[in-house]
Every structure is written in structure tokens, then in C-alpha cells.
Amino acid sequence: SMSLPQQLRDESDFDQLPDNIPVTATIADIEEKKGFIVYCRFVIEVKTKGNSKYLIYRRYRQFFTLHQSLELKYSAEAQPGYYICQLPTLPGKVFMGNKKEIAESRIPELNNYMKRLLCLPTWVLLDDLIRMFFYQTELDSQQVPRALRRLRPPTRKVYEPTHNLSFLLPAVFDFSSSGRLELSLKAGDVIFLLRRVNADWLEGTVRDKTGIFPESFVNIIKPLPESDSDEEGGASKSGNRAPSSYSCLRCYLLQPEGIDTRDICVEEDLSIQPSYKDLLSQMRGIFQVEDIALNYRDPEGDLIRILDDEDIALMVQESKQTGSKVKRPVNQFPWELLVTHAKDLTVYNTEY
């Protein structure tokens, strides 16, 4: 039997299709699920013939199962006969590597796959296999999407951050910005909040950069006032500090190739004097480097290596004297940690 050329969609056929038939489907985002196993699912925006739009959540394995079932039914090898059509190809399984990166790399291929699938002859589109795959299930409709990357708010001029900002937010997930106006976040970063842009996006400052970021990536310590209009009484601004139990520590990793700056948020009072051991393990975790030394700058600006709790006490003591001269945001520790590679002695101003 000859395989039919891919039929061009006949207008009259198409007109007779029900309104809820999917016409386009594009991936709007990836969500990483970290349960007992880590997997990624694609957030897909489906548009129907009747012009409705909804989101569905599908894993790669669901694409795979759909494709296998379609092959059994429609490929020339599977059943010689009239009902055969040229199915699009699906990217193969990948068994090794970072789930999120694999998912990212599949987006263009899967978008193309869905596009070609939805251009198949109308009798294939009416197949339950395809209809069920693109159908918005009860479970799909209950999901609350994070800020979808494709549905960002319109950008606007970003203004200079002011120092006495009212909120602190620790980032819960990494967020890679895709444009100049977005703020890249690393989990654990502390963001000073400036304002709400829309239902999903906030604007804030992190490590002296200002930009917008999705609210779902951060943990709001103190909720934003619903509106930032002035009628709400401008005086409320000062009452909006994060609870005093949260403090922010600025730390730097000094490396030959440059300085990596982080702000970390801890549930501690500003007056706390942490132990050397705790700080060391905290910094190893933050910078993912095992063999490190902790340092601080003395009032003369020299780097002093910290070796024990007494050194910490000295650092805290000295920061009280110099701290008042430096303008810092509220609830930021008056001392800062400079982390170096333990074997790197070039960072010290030593002259023998």
C-alpha cells in the first residue's frame, strides 16, 4: 500500500471540527519537581479552534507514550492499510545529565513536534490519543503556574535603588534573567524589595543591581502592602521592615578571575556573634568550595585571616567602630566576610 502524502488541511474539513480541538501548543516554561525523584515538566499553553487558551503540564515521558501509541496506529510498518500518515519525529530519551538542562534543550524540538502534530490530517486530530494529551485535566487546571517566562510584564525604566529599603526577601530558587531588566537570582540571595510590578513580578535590588523577578522564586518575609499608591498613607513605609529576626550578611569570594558577591539571609539578630565553625560551613555551602579561609578587613583596609571564635569577636568589635561610617541597608550585619582559597596567600599585604 502506498503511504498517502501528508494531506493539506481541507478548509471545509477544518470548519467541521469541534471548537475544543487544539490548534497550537507552545511551551511557556519548565518546572522542576523535587520529590523523591527529580523530574521536569513542561508548562504548555494550548490554544483551541474556538480561541480558548489554557495550560497543561506534561513530562517528556508522556510525549514518549503518546508517540509510541500513534506509531502503533498510524505508521506504515505498524498496519498496512489506508490510515497511515507521516508522524513527526520525537527527540529521543536521554539517560544521563542534568534534568533541567535536558528539558531546556528539548523545548525547540518539542515545540516543533507539537506544531507538526497539530498540522496532521483532521481525522488524526480527532483521535482520542491526541485529544487526551492536549486536554486540560482536573489536575492541570488546579496547578498554579509560576511566573511564566514568556508572559513577562512590559519592561520599564529601572530607577536607582535607594538605600533604606523596606523589605528583605531570600530567594528560594535560582532565576536566570533573560534580559537586561531582569534580575538574576541565586538561591539564598537577599533581595531588597522596591515595588510590585504586577500579580507575578516584583522589582528589587540584589548586589547593587536592580531589576524585576518572579515572586514565586522568593520567600516573602513580610508581605507587600497591596497597593503602593500614596493614598495609603506614606507613613506606613517605615513600618514595613522585615522582622528583626532576619539579618543579611554580605560575603565575597575572592578569586584570581574575579569576585563573587553574595548576600545571605539568616534568622538571627544583628547583634549575634556567630561561631567560627558555623560561618565556615555556611560559606563552604554558599560558594561550593571546600578548602577556604575566612577573612575580614580591618579599619586600615587590610585583609585579616580569621582562625577561631576570638577572631570573630575582634571582627564584630571592630565593625562597631567603623560600621557607623558606612551606609548600609537596615538589617545588614555591620561586618562582611571575605572568603579566599586557603592556599592563596597573595591576598594578604605581607611584606617580610
Side-chain angles (χ1 to χ4, degrees), residues 13 25 40 56 86 105 127 133 137-138 141 178 269 276 339 341:
D13 267 5
C40 286
I56 59 174
Q86 186 65 52
S105 69
D127 191 306
F133 181 85
T137 62
E138 186 71 34
S141 62
S178 65
D269 207 270
Y276 171 70
V339 178
H341 292 278

Side-chain angles (χ1 to χ4, degrees), residues 296-299 304 313-323:
Y296 71 96
R297 282 202 194 286
D298 68 7
I304 308 293
L314 196 64
M315 167 182 79
V316 172
Q317 191 55 45
E318 286 190 359
S319 73
K320 285 188 181 133
Q321 296 154 19
T322 54

Side-chain angles (χ1 to χ4, degrees), residues 254 293-297 303-306 315 336-340 347-348:
L254 309 183
L294 304 187
N295 311 271
Y296 71 96
R297 282 202 194 286
L303 210 56
I304 308 293
R305 190 178 277 209
I306 300 170
M315 167 182 79
E336 299 181 335
L337 278 185
L338 292 94
V339 178
T340 54
V347 292
Y348 304 101

Side-chain angles (χ1 to χ4, degrees), residues 20-58:
N20 63 0
I21 282 283
V23 200
T24 65
T26 35
I27 294 169
D29 210 347
I30 294 171
E31 289 193 347
E32 199 171 16
K33 288 280 160 203
K34 294 186 174 173
F36 289 107
I37 57 160
V38 174
Y39 67 88
C40 286
R41 52 185 196 168
F42 298 95
V43 186
I44 303 163
E45 187 181 67
V46 180
K47 287 187 185 138
T48 66
K49 180 188 160 202
N51 257 340
S52 62
K53 266 191 218 174
Y54 53 83
L55 295 175
I56 59 174
Y57 296 76
R58 300 288 179 265

